[in-house]
Amino acid sequence: MRNNKLKPLVIGNITIKHPLALAPMAGVTDLPYRLLCKEQGAGMMCTEMVSAKGLYYGNRKSEPLMATDPKEIPVAIQIFGSDPDIMGQMAAKVNDGRFQMIDINMGCPVPKIVNNGDGSALMKNPKLAGKVIKAVVDAVDIPVTVKIRKGFNDDLVNAPEMAQVAQENGAAAIAVHGRTREQYYSGTADWSIIRKVKEAVDIPVIGNGDITYAKDVLRMQEETGCDGFMIGRRAKGNPWIFKEILHFFETGEELPRPSLEEVVAMMLRHGQMMIDFKGEYIGVREMRKHVAWYTFGFPGAAKLREKVNHTETYEDLEELLQTYLKANPERD
């Protein structure tokens, strides 16, 4: 048995038993998927990112992104923007009891976000970033966290400085992705920057980037000393990753990967949850990408992805997946 079990993550007045966070990902971490990951052991949940300006101007697309369920508590809402006044006002607006934390996105690399001065663009302007953080902290009575990257590019690697700015302006925790904005998701995450951030601040630090297996969490823990672990792309189609990590730290053993039968059962349950939440038309169509993620690496997955793009009802999805399962009774 292992002795170095994962310690709870304490953010402000909130204690999170399992220090494993599901990274907020646009178009992925909606309410149904968060609930599936929560069941598998994810401790910290976060909505898809919500535009503060969208909230300010009453954009109808914002409200569905903020749907929550008591079963996922504690859950944070992630907001983005670079206008301190609007960010503060909208933070106050969403501080209505649904969320236990507010996370500020200062790491998104998407051009339309960055070109508007939001997301990782704030890495280039620590002074403005500090004003944004302070405005949000002053507007709410729940912990505020900040998600950043290593830096904007190789010429501006300033995560430790940004973390200090966040701490000085009242942030209760900081999450660090070990890549620059310029890297997007290419190359290898630099975990040494997470260590430097941990050494630069007293607030909890959550490491993010290249956590694929349970042993990666142990390695990140040893190399960085970080307090929490955030999993993003490796959780796509893989809610089991949280269960696998917890099992490894409790027993020292690695769980076998889910069987195709288990994966198909999860996809069908996920599909039903999506339909219940978004309606059949949208739910089935959004499940198409999830099916591709769930079945990555299985035999015949490419053909399945092609076929799933023509599904329009739950019955279509169920018939396709059951047929696929019968044709592939065992995993390679």
Side-chain angles (χ1 to χ4, degrees), residues 29-31 34 47-68 77-80 86 90 93-94 96 98-99 277-278:
T29 53
D30 52 19
L31 178 58
R34 295 200 308 272
T47 68
E48 300 171 75
M49 63 179 186
V50 178
S51 166
K53 283 187 177 179
L55 286 171
Y56 185 79
Y57 291 110
N59 188 325
R60 293 180 182 177
K61 293 180 180 179
S62 299
E63 194 59 38
L65 298 175
M66 298 190 291
T68 62
I77 178 173
Q78 187 183 71
I79 58 175
F80 73 92
I86 291 179
M90 293 307 100
K93 182 177 180 179
V94 300
D96 55 11
R98 286 183 290 177
F99 309 104
F277 182 54
K278 301 184 179 185

Side-chain angles (χ1 to χ4, degrees), residues 40 58 111 159 169 191 227 249 274 292 302 324:
Q40 295 294 322
N169 286 283
W191 289 0
D227 306 282
F249 273 85
M274 290 285 277
Y324 173 69

